[in-house]
Amino acid sequence: MIITKDHIGGLVFLCLSAAYGYYTGDISMLPGDEYEPFNAQTLPSILSYMGGILSIALLLTASRDASDRLSFKGYDFPLVIKLLVLVVLFGIALEWVGFLVSTVFFLICGYWLLGERKWKTLLIASVPFALFIWFSLSQLLDIYLAPGRLITMLFGG
């Protein structure tokens, strides 16, 4: 049996879809919502089923050519590990310094890890994007984004 990139991608996507589907049951609903045809769990459940179906389709239709065989040559695994560590640090920083500051630092560090070294480019590529996402979420969609514990302790909440 030949394992290709499509097989690996299909298996990873299937695992993610199954885990996502499993946790959709934890989404809380308002009393009486369980009898509604469309509630807070409906769309995530549909997405998890679609992800499972598409990943199985990818597994079944994956190329079986020997030229598509999985090879780890050319991959920069240390960079992948650094980016994963950066994502974990981003998750920790969200709670302490809030969405806007942690997103700006996450993007600056991510671009820096990927090879960009000019500060002007790092700031132009990071700050407007983080501001746009923050504005869209908090002002347009009215989603509450906690300012962060450190910001609250320093400036009050």
Side-chain angles (χ1 to χ4, degrees):
M1 179 176 176
I2 297 172
I3 296 177
T4 64
K5 295 175 186 175
D6 290 344
H7 290 110
I8 300 295
L11 284 173
V12 168
F13 197 58
L14 181 62
C15 290
L16 289 175
S17 297
Y20 184 70
Y22 177 76
Y23 285 108
T24 57
D26 291 346
I27 296 173
S28 59
M29 294 188 295
L30 297 173
D33 267 0
E34 62 269 9
Y35 303 113
E36 295 292 327
F38 193 88
N39 56 43
Q41 294 178 351
T42 304
L43 189 58
S45 297
I46 291 172
L47 289 175
S48 68
Y49 284 119
M50 287 177 53
I53 290 169
L54 291 174
S55 61
I56 290 172
L58 179 62
L59 286 171
L60 294 176
T61 61
S63 172
R64 301 195 190 303
D65 289 342
S67 62
D68 293 334
R69 178 174 282 181
L70 180 63
S71 172
F72 293 112
K73 288 183 180 177
Y75 291 110
D76 190 359
F77 287 107
L79 178 62
V80 172
I81 292 170
K82 290 175 189 173
L83 288 172
L84 288 174
V85 169
L86 181 63
V87 170
V88 170
L89 293 175
F90 173 67
I92 294 169
L94 272 173
E95 184 176 343
W96 287 96
V97 294
F99 178 82
L100 188 59
V101 174
S102 60
T103 302
V104 167
F105 283 114
F106 172 74
L107 291 173
I108 287 174
C109 293
Y111 292 137
W112 187 82
L113 284 174
L114 292 173
E116 181 57 50
R117 297 293 188 260
K118 297 177 186 172
W119 276 103
K120 186 177 177 182
T121 304
L122 289 171
L123 291 174
I124 290 173
S126 302
V127 174
F129 180 75
L131 283 171
F132 174 75
I133 296 296
W134 173 83
F135 180 78
S136 298
L137 291 175
S138 67
Q139 304 302 312
L140 298 178
L141 298 174
D142 203 22
I143 296 173
Y144 176 72
L145 296 173
R149 289 183 184 180
L150 189 62
I151 302 295
T152 304
M153 286 189 308
L154 290 175
F155 302 109

